[in-house]
Amino acid sequence: MVIIRQPITFAVRLNGWLRLLRLPNLFTVPGDPLAGVAAAVLAGGVMPSAKTIACCSAAALFLYCAGLICNDICDYEHDMICRPSRPLPSRQVDMLSAWAGMLLLGAAGLCMAFWAGIPV
């Protein structure tokens, strides 16, 4: 099997990152914390501030993205064989950038979660 490598342009890299982060799935992630807030309020809880809700939603999104990248890093060897067109094996996203993105998104998620807990 011959793999023809395409030139790595900005558009190719952007497409690789969007595929790595599975862009269509990201729109559903903030809904989980919002559903939790709604359930808690309906159960007789106090409505949290807009800042807390926004921070929790952002934290969930950032941590989800970090997890997606971590998953592709861990599956790299398997993807080299079974899915060579995925962003990491095809080198649309290089491994160092993937690690950096995962660490930055994970740290951002933890910071947002911490900030959500700080009273207004």
Side-chain angles (χ1 to χ4, degrees), residues 18-76:
L18 294 177
R19 288 180 50 231
L20 186 66
L21 295 174
R22 296 157 181 90
L23 181 65
N25 298 351
L26 298 183
F27 297 105
T28 65
V29 176
D32 296 336
L34 295 176
V37 167
V41 170
L42 288 174
V46 178
M47 180 71 171
S49 69
K51 176 202 125 228
T52 300
I53 295 171
C55 287
C56 287
S57 294
L61 185 62
F62 291 149
L63 292 171
Y64 182 83
C65 288
L68 289 172
I69 297 170
C70 181
N71 180 61
D72 273 35
I73 289 171
C74 291
D75 287 346
Y76 179 74

Side-chain angles (χ1 to χ4, degrees), residues 6-20:
Q6 56 186 340
I8 306 297
T9 63
F10 174 76
V12 170
R13 286 201 190 282
L14 178 61
N15 182 51
W17 275 102
L18 294 177
R19 288 180 50 231
L20 186 66

Side-chain angles (χ1 to χ4, degrees), residues 70-116:
C70 181
N71 180 61
D72 273 35
I73 289 171
C74 291
D75 287 346
Y76 179 74
E77 296 296 326
H78 182 263
D79 287 348
M80 286 289 288
I81 297 164
C82 297
R83 292 186 294 269
S85 64
R86 290 288 303 146
L88 290 177
S90 67
R91 293 189 170 87
Q92 292 176 344
V93 176
D94 64 272
M95 190 62 80
L96 182 62
S97 296
W99 272 96
M102 179 187 68
L103 293 173
L104 287 172
L105 285 164
L110 292 175
C111 288
M112 293 305 285
F114 176 79
W115 194 29

